Every structure is written in C-alpha cells, then in structure tokens.
Amino acid sequence: MLREGDYCLFEGFVLNGCFKIYYLNENGSEQTLYFAVAGWWITDIDSLINHVPSILNIEALEDSEVLMISKKIRNACMKPCRR
C-alpha cells in the first residue's frame, strides 16, 4: 500500500483486515510501529502533509478493505476548519 521512498498521497480508514506499519532501521531490520485493524486510520502523515518521501511501509497482512481519501479531497475537507 505504501513503500519507503514513495510519496504518501492518501489517508486510509480500515473497514476490515489488518495492516502492519513499519520502517527499516539503520541495520535493515523491520521496526513495527503498530498494527491497524478495522476502525483505525493508516497513513504517513509527515509524507502526506509535507510532501516528503515516506520513511514508512504500510503492508496488508490479509485481505482487507480500506476507504481511501486523497490528499486533494482531504485538503478540501479541512479548508473550512482552518482559521
């Protein structure tokens, strides 16, 4: 769903399934940050907001369903909330 080095252009809301969010440390070993299941949000917020390459990987561990919100739609929804 997202690989380190790619730009994150979405937020996802997990309807069902399970995702692992992790990064690779300086030794190349996986460091799991969290698992996301139904009702959780998944994204790399730093990459999404600041348009920088992701340091995270988001991987589905089983068949899953996710509602995806693009950065453009997210920004349009947030606009009325800004002051």
Side-chain angles (χ1 to χ4, degrees):
M1 176 162 258
L2 181 67
R3 291 187 181 161
E4 178 181 354
D6 290 347
Y7 289 85
C8 185
L9 303 174
F10 69 88
E11 278 190 86
F13 183 76
V14 181
L15 295 175
N16 61 58
C18 183
F19 291 83
K20 177 172 69 170
I21 294 72
Y22 67 96
Y23 67 95
L24 301 177
N25 67 19
E26 59 278 353
N27 298 324
S29 298
E30 285 187 11
Q31 297 293 300
T32 301
L33 296 174
Y34 64 95
F35 294 93
V37 295
W40 284 54
W41 288 91
I42 54 175
T43 193
D44 179 340
I45 198 70
D46 183 42
S47 178
L48 180 69
I49 299 298
N50 298 312
H51 195 68
V52 295
S54 179
I55 62 167
L56 300 180
N57 297 281
I58 301 176
E59 177 183 341
L61 299 179
E62 60 187 17
D63 288 343
S64 304
E65 288 183 288
V66 179
L67 291 176
M68 303 291 285
I69 301 170
S70 71
K71 183 176 182 176
K72 183 178 179 180
I73 298 293
R74 179 191 182 281
N75 289 344
C77 291
M78 298 299 256
K79 200 171 198 174
C81 298
R82 294 185 185 141
R83 292 182 179 214

